[in-house]
Amino acid sequence: MNTKTQVGIIGAGPAGLLLSHLLHLEGIDSVVLETRSRKYVEERVRAGVLEQGTVDLLCETGLGDRLRREGLVHRGIELRFDGRGHRIALSDLTGGRAIWIYGQKQVVKDLNKARLAAGATIHFEVNDVRLSGIDATSPVINYRKDDQEHILTCDFIAGCDGFHGVSRDSIPSGILRTYQHDYPFGWLGILAAVAPSTEELIYASHDRGFALHSLRSPEISRLYIQVDPDEDINEWPDDRIWQELSIRLATRDGWTLADGPILEKGITSLRSFVVEPMQYGRLFLAGDAAHIVPATGAKGLNLAVHDVRILAESLTAWFRTGATELLEQYSTRCLRRVWRVQDFSSFMSLMLHRFPDGDGFRSRLQRAQLEYVCSSEAAARSLAENYVGLPHV
Ligand code: APR
Ligand code: PHB
């Protein structure tokens, strides 16, 4: 089977689906190829914090109905250490900007629904995806679906296939420079059927390690504890997880953590990863295919959204007028934000986690930093403007 499209998009995560949506609004045709099933991509438990700029873009492009109804606006977060909470007043410090709690899987559901209602072509459960001719004018994607070989000829290919995808590796060796940092800790995350014990997110620094109390809805809590990156999940029965969470989140004023049935649990490692440039020939990388940030800044999804916004704008200029300037600037414009966000996510991670540290020098620095952001308005404002997300440029 031979078909053609203007933009071949690999991956139906938030990056690929939103790109397809934004291109559609500009009258540009795309085909999305995804190895997993629709159900799988819609049920995968991922992050849940949307920056103001992400929400604005989703609302401006017709994706805001359910988000406005079900999303929870948060105007502050709490940093908790030494048994005390300190509120960072995100909105007061940023001229009214806020974050929204709305699970990534809800964003993916809304995107799939909008794309399919508009007649989009999204092929789920494809396999053996291969890219060729990316340095020529008509790059090609070969893939298999239902045991049939397909050839999709494109004007451009967008590699939105996440960290483990095939797009990045299709770029000839010697072109990309890779930057990687592995943090010496992982996160054990749970989704629990219990009302959150807090209205705002709590980031807790404790001698036993970091803990985070987040949420998905008034009935569902999302919590994390720092563990070793190679920790075995089988060592963590539900009781042990709740016990550890309640120790790390405890306060001196008797605040209590409500527990409940754990619906899902898993361990992820924290890493920073960037490739430069995010483009080769007619292949453009976006989202996790090009960069990973440690989860402490809650930025992965938001960065992916920024990438595809820039990519859609650049491709639109090319399809309208043949102008190549924006496409040439794609990587530089994205990477500027990627590195800002790497720095912020690294700052949050280094400030809040317990390190396997010898003489306690680092933990003294961490305490000094926490006390500074909780007492200086300038320092708090810096954290807040990064947390709600710097304006898209
Ligand atoms: N062919 C087609 N699809 C693929 C392939 C392949 N060879 N390899 C992977 N995929 C799909 C994955 O199954 C996944 O659905 O690409 C999609 C990539 O989606 P995400 O991993 O969600 O990445 P992205 O869209 O960049 O979103 C970034 O998602 O992973 C989180 O923390 C991350 O929140 C961030 C956001
Ligand atoms: C989440 O709700 O999943 C979440 C919140 C904040 C983070 C990371 C993850 O920093």
Side-chain angles (χ1 to χ4, degrees):
M1 284 271 289
N2 259 301
T3 43
K4 278 194 173 172
T5 188
Q6 289 175 294
V7 183
I9 300 176
I10 307 180
L17 291 170
L18 180 59
L19 177 63
S20 171
H21 176 71
L22 297 176
L23 292 174
H24 167 72
L25 297 179
E26 299 294 345
I28 299 166
D29 173 62
S30 66
V31 171
V32 181
L33 302 175
E34 166 62 53
T35 43
R36 303 287 192 164
S37 66
R38 177 174 177 192
K39 185 169 165 35
Y40 182 92
V41 299
E42 290 188 352
E43 292 307 323
R44 205 163 27 189
V45 179
R46 290 274 178 85
V49 175
L50 305 186
E51 290 178 353
Q52 181 75 57
T54 298
V55 172
D56 292 347
L57 179 68
L58 296 176
C59 291
E60 281 158 20
T61 59
L63 295 164
D65 284 358
R66 199 161 66 94
L67 168 58
R68 271 187 288 252
R69 263 197 328 273
E70 296 176 19
L72 305 169
V73 183
H74 281 203
R75 303 198 173 279
I77 54 169
E78 182 180 324
L79 298 181
R80 196 173 274 190
F81 58 96
D82 210 11
R84 289 196 180 85
H86 307 262
R87 183 167 191 261
I88 305 289
L90 298 175
S91 294
D92 293 347
L93 290 163
T94 60
R97 293 167 79 76
I99 52 148
W100 289 55
I101 302 298
Y102 192 66
Q104 177 169 321
K105 73 177 192 181
Q106 312 303 347
V107 175
V108 168
K109 277 186 190 170
D110 294 346
L111 279 163
N112 268 329
K113 197 169 156 215
R115 288 312 294 122
L116 294 168
T121 312
I122 307 176
H123 296 300
F124 291 99
E125 298 180 80
V126 304
N127 50 59
D128 205 11
V129 177
R130 286 145 288 145
L131 287 65
S132 56
I134 52 179
D135 48 2
T137 49
S138 297
V140 170
I141 309 174
N142 285 69
Y143 63 97
R144 293 186 71 77
K145 177 152 174 76
D146 301 329
D147 281 332
Q148 262 208 332
E149 181 72 18
H150 293 260
I151 302 171
L152 177 64
T153 307
C154 318
D155 292 317
F156 293 95
I157 298 178
C160 304
D161 47 351
F163 184 66
H164 300 287
V166 289
S167 302
R168 193 176 61 242
D169 290 343
S170 307
I171 296 176
S173 62
I175 303 283
L176 297 182
R177 178 153 182 199
T178 301
Y179 299 85
Q180 177 156 357
H181 180 75
D182 292 309
Y183 299 81
F185 31 76
W187 279 16
L188 190 164
I190 61 165
L191 195 66
V194 58
S197 303
T198 176
E199 284 182 4
E200 295 182 339
L201 269 58
I202 304 168
Y203 288 82
S205 162
H206 190 277
D207 291 346
R208 295 170 68 96
F210 169 72
L212 168 61
H213 191 335
S214 179
L215 57 137
R216 285 294 174 274
S217 71
E219 298 84 32
I220 302 284
S221 299
R222 178 87 172 135
L223 298 109
Y224 299 91
I225 40 176
Q226 174 187 352
V227 294
D228 285 341
D230 52 4
E231 191 88 17
D232 179 0
I233 191 85
N234 296 313
E235 300 291 317
W236 288 88
D238 295 2
D239 286 355
R240 183 178 174 205
I241 297 175
W242 284 117
Q243 192 189 7
E244 194 61 33
L245 278 165
S246 62
I247 295 173
R248 296 190 194 181
L249 288 165
T251 64
R252 291 162 190 253
D253 62 8
W255 174 90
T256 53
L257 175 68
D259 62 18
I262 294 184
L263 307 173
E264 212 259 0
K265 61 179 166 182
I267 295 180
T268 47
S269 56
L270 265 70
R271 83 156 61 100
S272 288
F273 174 87
V274 183
V275 291
E276 292 186 357
M278 288 168 56
Q279 178 235 342
Y280 174 72
R282 291 206 169 204
L283 169 64
F284 292 80
L285 302 176
D288 278 18
H291 42 72
I292 299 284
V293 284
T296 329
K299 293 290 178 215
L301 168 63
N302 296 293
L303 259 191
V305 166
H306 179 261
D307 289 351
V308 299
R309 172 182 217 155
I310 303 288
L311 185 52
E313 187 184 312
S314 311
L315 288 167
T316 301
W318 189 90
F319 281 110
R320 286 225 179 110
T321 67
T324 55
E325 286 85 354
L326 287 182
L327 283 175
E328 283 157 13
Q329 291 163 13
Y330 168 74
S331 180
T332 312
R333 289 174 74 195
C334 290
L335 285 167
R336 202 171 293 132
R337 189 177 188 89
V338 168
W339 282 111
R340 171 86 295 285
V341 165
Q342 285 291 4
D343 178 50
F344 175 66
S345 306
S346 158
F347 156 77
M348 290 287 280
S349 303
L350 301 184
M351 179 170 72
L352 288 160
H353 288 80
R354 187 177 69 86
F355 279 79
D357 164 49
D359 63 0
F361 175 73
R362 188 191 282 269
S363 69
R364 289 291 190 278
L365 293 182
Q366 288 175 311
R367 174 55 62 91
Q369 205 164 47
L370 279 166
E371 286 176 354
Y372 182 49
V373 291
C374 294
S375 60
S376 150
E377 187 177 310
R381 192 186 302 282
S382 166
L383 190 156
E385 72 168 357
N386 281 279
Y387 197 87
V388 299
L390 291 161
H392 286 188
V393 283

